[in-house]
Every structure is written in C-alpha cells, then in structure tokens.
Amino acid sequence: MRARGVRVDRRRFLATSVTSFAAIVSGGCDRFSASPTFREFLAGAEGLNQRVQRALLWRGALAREYTPADISPNFRANGSQDAYNLPAGYVEQADKGFLEWHLQVDGLVTKPASFTLADLRALPARTQITRHDCVEGWSCIGEWTGPQLATILDRVGLRPDARFVVFHCADELPRYVDGSHAFYESIDLIDAYHPQTILAYEMNGVPLPVAHGAPLRLRVERQLGYKMAKFLTRIEVVNRVDHIGRGGGGTWADDGYEWYAGI
Amino acid sequence: MAAHSSARPHAWRWIHRYPAVVRVSHWANVLCVVVLLMSGLQIFNAHPALYWGEDSDFERPLVSIYWASGPDGRPTGITNILGRRFDTTGVLGWSWINGRPVQRAFPAWLTIPSAQDLATGRVWHLFFAWLFAINGLVYIGHSIVTGRFRRDLLPTRAELGRIGATLRQHLMLRFHQHTERYNVIQGLTYVVVIVVLAPIAVLTGLTMSPAIVAAAPWLLDVFGGRQSARTIHFVATWMFVLFAAMHVAMVLTTGFVKNMRSMITGWYRVSE
C-alpha cells in the first residue's frame, strides 16, 4: 500500500508542478500584458507582418476563388447582426429595400458624391466566391457581388494627399459599449485598389441579409473577416486616421486587434 | 577544446558538448514554445472547435470543447473527439477561477493572458512566432554550416541497423550514459522535430493567414484547406508537448545536474 501511496504522491507532485509552472507563466505574462510599453513592443510584430507580407506578395495576388459547389450552407454572421445594435428604423428600412439609403463618398476627393443602391447596382459589378476567415478561427465560403471600390474611387477622384479609405457604418455597437464613435474601419490604398476589394450588395445571389451588413458591406479578401465592415453609410478618404474614433484606424484596432489583419 | 584531467582518484573529463549558439537557441526555444503553446490555447478558446477542409462545418466538428448543464443542473465541461464525448469538467469546457465556475475551453492557468482576451493572445503569439522562426533558422543554419547536424544528429547507417536493439533497450527503460554522441532514437527524434514537426507548425500557421495564401495558394493544397491547416497546427502543438514531456523526463532521469550544466555552460562531465 505504501508503494501505491508513493506513486499517487509522485503523480500528484508531477501534476502540481506542471499546473503551477503554467500558472506562474500565465500570471507573469498577465503582468507584462498590462504594461502598455511591453504590449506596444510585442505589437511591433504587426508592422513586421505588414511589411514582410507586402514585400513578399505581388500586390495584385488574388485570394483563391471557389466554385458554387464550395459555398458554405451555413455562413456564420458575427458582430452586430440585428436591430439591437442598429439605429431605430434600420430593419424596417431594410424590409422596404433601403429606398432612402445612400452612400456618401467624401474627404480628400475632387468630386464628392452620393450613391443610392440603384446607382451602385448600375455600376459594373464583380462576383467572387471567396473564403471568409474569422479572427476567431472559423472559415466560411460565400459568393459576393458588387462594384469594385476602385470604380467608386475613380468616380470621385482622389486628391494627391489621399492615403487611407475610411468606412463609416450604421452599426452603433461601440457607441453603446463605451460611448465612442459608431463602428468604423479603414484600409490603405493598396488594398483599396485591389481587384477583389468590392462593396458587396449581394451575397449568394440574393440581396445582402441584415445579419451580413445590409445593404452594403466591404470585402477585403486578403485580410481577416473583422476588416470587412458591414452596414456602410459613408466612405471618407483621408490622409491619416488618428483623429477618428480612438485613433487606431478602426473599431477593432481601437480594441487591441491589429489594424493590418493579413494574418 | 582539450580535455581536462583531474588528479582525483575518481577521474572524469570534460567534453564541450554545446556551442554557445546551440545553448542560446535552446533556451530561446524553450521560451518560444511555452509562450506559443499558452497563447495558442488562448486563440483556440475563441472558437474551440476543429474541422477538416477549407471551411467550417459547424454541425460536425472533428474536435470541440463546450459547456452544458448536466442532468442535475450542474455545470459540465464536455470534450468531443470524433463524435465521442468525454466529461472534462474542471479542466476543459468548465473550470474554476478563484472558486467561480467559468465557461472556457482551456482553463485560465494554461492560457496567455489568463483572462479570455483574443486580441492580446494574438499579440503574444504573432511576436513569439517570429522569434521561434528566426531562432529556428539560426539554429538550423548553424548546425548545417558547422556540420553538427550531420555529425551529431543524423544517425549513421550502422546505427540505423541497430535501431531495433536500441529501441528494445529504451522500452526496457535502460538508457546508456550520455557521451559525445546521441543514440539513434534520440538523434532521429531530434531530426523529426527539427525537420518535420517545426516546419509543419510554422507552415500550417502561415496557411491560416489570408494574405500568405493569396501569395502562396499551394499551401492550401498541401494541407488540405485552411481549416485542415488549423487542425494540423493544433495537433502539431500537442506533438511538441509530447516531445517536451519525453525530453524533460530523459533530462531528469539521466543526470539532471550534469545535463542542465552542459546546456548552460556547454561542458559535460564524463566519468573515465
């Protein structure tokens, strides 16, 4: 019985050693994570990822496109999905086909313009079946249709000092959470002019459902899903993004996620 | 380096087993693997399910960790592996933080940071992934240039011929005194970890990047899709844990002090 007792003790000792070691590492790292300087140091890897990926990637490299047979039967929606985080009357407007909705395009452009849904549908459209990779880890494949962002930027004409394209959204989740700016996101001109960067008004052949950002959402196929802003209301061309929201360049970036979400 | 001999009756000599590059890269690797494992489990917790193929079939994950109320209303943590369900309450699915039950796949003491925080987990993981890759390249480059890889790690033909006998001795837990050379099983294990496991871990990690696979779509074909790559990445993680557990057990059982001293100072003491 003694031998057995020793064995149990040894097993317990091993288990305790492993869990204590992990807990010390985890707790120690919590202290580091709480330090803004250290976090900024670690987050330097984001800049490295962006520079290396941009250097390695041919700028026009396309994300893989799939066949209709590959479309996921159950495409998960994430973030704001219903009336709860949307302005009053938004879902009713969706039911009527967004007749009063329009997309304002302004900022560092030569000819600011406003597009109704009919205007956007009249533009040349691109249809692409692509994989949507969520930062959480899952992927879904869907078909998206809409004009290339480049078409719209060419219509309004960029001024020479333009550097980023900011997407303002109807989604008010961040306003409810911390009273900040409504949901926004931004990309640079490399992604803005990428052929697969489109403003999608259709998903899987039907008008974009509210859960996926009706009536218009951004698709930036070489980045993670959280960059693909939903419920678009305004596109603003800017030179810098640090005066918008909390200055991170997007609601998720303000929340600690990478602005460049290529990995 | 010349071997020092001692005047004492029980003579031993010192051999210089590990050059500085190997020692530094070894300890840097320990740090990287621990942080990558624990921050990786934090990232996994954001969607604790694994799939095969390009996309996620949410109804049929290969592996999933979730929580439910048991028949008596008590919280239950459940781990599903290929359709078989295991009650893992206390560790996986439901665990306790300061006496309070919390719904999470891997417990707080195994993740970086301890609280559920995907953004911070990613910051840690992506930083140490760079360190792991650069450190690995320096180590492999050094081993090849100095001939260490061929001389010390790759087994000779004669050793491969004796692999059955060596394996039998290992299974009987009879280990030879470590000397200048790794035995064939040790050497092969290191080679597999360095040449197969580590590159697979790095490449499946890169395959999860939408930017990387736009530039190198063949990665998706090699690993059978983005979700397959994620699953392989997870399995590779636990292969590293298995390797580390065996490695630490061997270090402990074959002379802990001598082994640690040699990986810190480079010098290993051999009895004459």
Side-chain angles (χ1 to χ4, degrees), chain B residues 32-44:
Chain B
C32 288
V33 169
V34 169
V35 172
L36 285 170
L37 165 69
M38 295 176 70
S39 57
L41 296 180
Q42 164 72 243
I43 296 171
F44 176 85

Side-chain angles (χ1 to χ4, degrees), chain B residues 98-110:
Chain B
N98 302 326
R100 285 219 324 261
V102 183
Q103 299 178 339
R104 49 187 290 151
F106 284 97
W109 54 267
L110 253 181

Side-chain angles (χ1 to χ4, degrees), chain A residues 134-200:
Chain A
C134 180
V135 67
E136 293 172 347
W138 50 265
S139 308
C140 288
I141 295 173
E143 184 193 73
W144 309 95
T145 300
Q148 290 174 318
L149 179 57
T151 306
I152 292 177
L153 295 180
D154 287 345
R155 290 271 165 127
V156 295
L158 294 193
R159 280 178 23 190
D161 48 345
R163 281 199 61 205
F164 300 99
V165 180
V166 180
F167 302 87
H168 297 278
C169 306
D171 182 352
E172 300 202 309
L173 178 65
R175 221 197 286 275
Y176 295 137
V177 173
D178 59 9
S180 64
H181 197 279
F183 194 97
Y184 75 108
E185 189 51 79
S186 64
I187 57 176
D188 62 13
L189 294 185
I190 294 175
D191 273 321
Y193 276 93
H194 185 264
Q196 285 172 322
T197 299
I198 64 171
L199 302 177

Side-chain angles (χ1 to χ4, degrees), chain B residues 180-191:
Chain B
E180 279 96 323
R181 199 167 159 72
Y182 296 127
N183 72 56
V184 60
I185 291 177
Q186 209 180 355
L188 272 184
T189 307
Y190 290 143
V191 168

Side-chain angles (χ1 to χ4, degrees), chain A residues 21-247:
Chain A
F21 173 73
I24 289 166
V25 174
S26 173
C29 291
D30 281 355
R31 294 205 173 177
F32 282 117
S33 302
S35 147
T37 330
F38 184 76
R39 197 194 157 101
E40 217 165 278
F41 173 68
L42 287 188
E46 180 197 347
L48 193 57
N49 283 324
Q50 184 182 345
R51 274 193 295 275
V52 170
Q53 293 193 345
R54 284 277 163 78
L56 290 176
L57 293 189
W58 168 56
R59 285 186 179 192
L62 296 180
R64 174 167 283 184
E65 296 194 14
Y66 298 84
T67 68
D70 299 319
I71 292 174
S72 306
N74 173 19
F75 196 116
R76 182 169 286 198
N78 221 357
S80 297
Q81 298 166 36
D82 50 35
Y84 186 70
N85 294 319
L86 293 166
Y90 196 89
V91 176
E92 289 72 13
Q93 214 191 331
D95 292 339
K96 291 182 200 143
F98 286 105
L99 295 175
E100 284 152 49
W101 177 91
H102 64 269
L103 178 74
Q104 180 68 31
V105 185
D106 54 22
L108 302 177
V109 299
T110 50
K111 302 177 293 272
S114 171
F115 297 82
T116 64
L117 209 46
D119 294 337
L120 292 173
R121 285 180 175 276
L123 293 172
R126 188 178 202 280
T127 294
Q128 57 201 34
I129 302 176
T130 52
R131 199 188 60 248
H132 179 96
D133 297 330
C134 180
V135 67
E136 293 172 347
W138 50 265
S139 308
C140 288
I141 295 173
E143 184 193 73
W144 309 95
T145 300
Q148 290 174 318
L149 179 57
T151 306
I152 292 177
L153 295 180
D154 287 345
R155 290 271 165 127
V156 295
L158 294 193
R159 280 178 23 190
D161 48 345
R163 281 199 61 205
F164 300 99
V165 180
V166 180
F167 302 87
H168 297 278
C169 306
D171 182 352
E172 300 202 309
L173 178 65
R175 221 197 286 275
Y176 295 137
V177 173
D178 59 9
S180 64
H181 197 279
F183 194 97
Y184 75 108
E185 189 51 79
S186 64
I187 57 176
D188 62 13
L189 294 185
I190 294 175
D191 273 321
Y193 276 93
H194 185 264
Q196 285 172 322
T197 299
I198 64 171
L199 302 177
Y201 48 69
E202 253 176 38
M203 175 188 184
N204 296 339
V206 297
L208 196 61
V210 169
H212 290 284
L216 195 69
R217 88 173 296 177
L218 172 67
R219 299 296 309 168
V220 197
E221 303 294 356
R222 300 184 303 178
Q223 296 204 40
L224 294 174
Y226 69 79
K227 291 296 286 187
M228 316 220 197
K230 310 197 284 188
F231 314 107
L232 301 184
T233 56
R234 177 181 167 218
I235 291 177
E236 183 190 8
V237 179
V238 296
N239 184 247
R240 49 198 298 168
V241 293
D242 51 10
H243 61 286
I244 308 169
R246 280 184 277 144

